[in-house]
Amino acid sequence: MTDLAELAQHLIDGHDADVARLTRDALDEGRAPAAILEQGLIAGMQVVGERFRDNIIFVPEVLVAARAMKAGLAHLEPVLAACGIEPIGTYVIGTVKGDIHDIGKNLVGMMLKGAGFRVIDLGVNTPLAKFQAAIEEHRPDIVGMSALLTTTMGQMKVNIESFRAAGLFDRLRVMVGGAAVSEDYAESIGAHAYGADAPSSVAKARSLLAELKAARA
Ligand code: B1M
C-alpha cells in the first residue's frame, strides 16, 4: 500500500519522478483521489510553504516542489475530471495580473471539471482585458479569480468593479480564492463567493449556478 506520507516527502524534496510514480501506484491500488491529493500532494506543499515562509528553503526549491506537484496532478487530473458528462455550466478561471501562482487555481479548475463544469482557464498573470474578452466570448456563468499575494489581491477588486460597471452581474457570478484571500476580504470587494479550497469551491460554484438559474427562470 502506497505511503502517502512518503509521497508528501518526495514532493517536499522535489522528486518529480517519484511523486508521479507513487501517485500512479496509489491510484492503481484504488486509493481515493481526494486522499492522495490532500494527504500526499497538498500535505507536502503545505510543508514547502512553511519552510519557504521561514527562510529554510528558497525559490529554486519551491519551484522543484511545484514541478513535482504538477507531475502528481497530471495523473490525478483525468481521474478527478472523469465523472463530467454534459457541462452543467461554464466557469472562466484565472490568476490575476501580477501573480504567477497556478497550482491552487489548477486544482480548483480540475475539480470543477470533475463536477461537470466547462472550464476555460486563462492561466496566470491575467489582465482585466483578458477576463473581459473571455466573458464576451464564452458567456460564463461564473468567473473565478485566484490571488496568492497581498500585492495582487487588490486586482480582484479592480476587476469586480469593472464587471459591475459593465452590468455583468445580471448574468454572471464572481468567486475569488487563493492563500491571500479571506471570506471577509471577498465580501468587502463584492465577490459573490469565496473559495477556501477546491472541494468547497466546487460546492459554492454549484450553489451560485443554482441561484443564477433560479434568477433567470
Ligand atoms: Co510564492 N508566495 N512567491 N511561489 N508561494 C506564497 C504565496 C507565500 C505565502 C510564501 C510565504 O511567504 N510563506 C508568499 C506570499 C506572501 C504574501 O503576499 N502574503 C509568496 C511569495 C512572497 C512569492 C514571491 C514574491 C517570492 C519572490 O519572488 N521573492 C514570488 C511571486 C511571484 C509572482 O506571482 N509574481 C513567488 C513565487 C513562487 C513560485 C514561482 C516559486 C511558486 C509558484 C509556482 C506555481 O504556482 N506554478 C511559489 C509557491 C509554490 C508558493 C507557495 C510555497 C505554495 C503555493 C501553492 O501552490 N500552494 C506559497 C506558500 C503557501 O501558500 N503556503 C507561496 C498549494 C495550493 C494547493 O494552495 O494556491 O493556496 P493554494 O490554493 C488553494 C486555495 O487557496 C484555494 O484552493 C486551492 C486548493 O485547495 N484557491 C482557490 C486557490 N485559488 C482559488 C480560486 C478560487 C477558489 C479557491 O476561485 C476562483
Side-chain angles (χ1 to χ4, degrees), residues 42 45-46 48-50 52-53 59 62-63 66 69-70 91 93 98-105 107-108 144-151 175-179 195-199 201:
I42 290 182
M45 191 49 90
Q46 177 70 29
V48 171
E50 287 160 10
F52 188 40
R53 179 196 61 209
V59 170
V62 178
L63 276 176
M69 177 122 188
K70 286 184 177 178
Y91 195 117
I93 192 166
D99 201 319
I100 60 165
H101 295 86
D102 68 354
I103 295 172
K105 167 188 70 65
L107 264 176
V108 173
M145 294 184 282
S146 183
L148 268 83
L149 300 171
T150 44
T151 49
M175 179 186 291
V176 295
D197 54 33
S201 300

